[in-house]
Amino acid sequence: MRDGPIHGLGARLGSPTAPLVGIVHYLFHAHAWTTQEVCYLQDLFVDGAIRRSGCGRRLIEAVAAAARERGCSRLYWTTKEDNAVARSLYDRIAGFNGFIRYDCALK
């Protein structure tokens, strides 16, 4: 993996040449409230045919390991409020902090 601004991992079932069944993108950045970097998990996707199999959890755990290795103080991500399948996983492995994200288009 090269040390670019956005990192990615993929998940395959079986052999290294099998099709991807999951992907995750993440990045490290400075934070105003800590001297340590934080890690933002920007995108997580798991093929619908294997959701609830543990693939998403393993991808998140791989990102968490990379963030720990880099010395980050935390890992965070956002999701849609109505994304019940994903939120059932997220509620088991992380804490909802009560924040709601707003987006302001600049163009």
Side-chain angles (χ1 to χ4, degrees), residues 32-76:
W33 296 343
T34 178
T35 58
Q36 296 169 286
E37 287 184 311
V38 296
C39 182
Y40 176 57
L41 191 156
Q42 187 173 30
D43 188 30
L44 174 68
F45 174 80
V46 174
D47 185 309
I50 66 154
R51 288 189 184 143
R52 298 182 187 263
S53 70
C55 182
R57 176 186 285 272
R58 286 190 296 279
L59 286 167
I60 293 170
E61 288 171 351
V63 173
R68 281 187 202 96
E69 183 176 315
R70 186 146 167 153
C72 292
S73 63
R74 69 182 170 106
L75 165 63
Y76 72 102

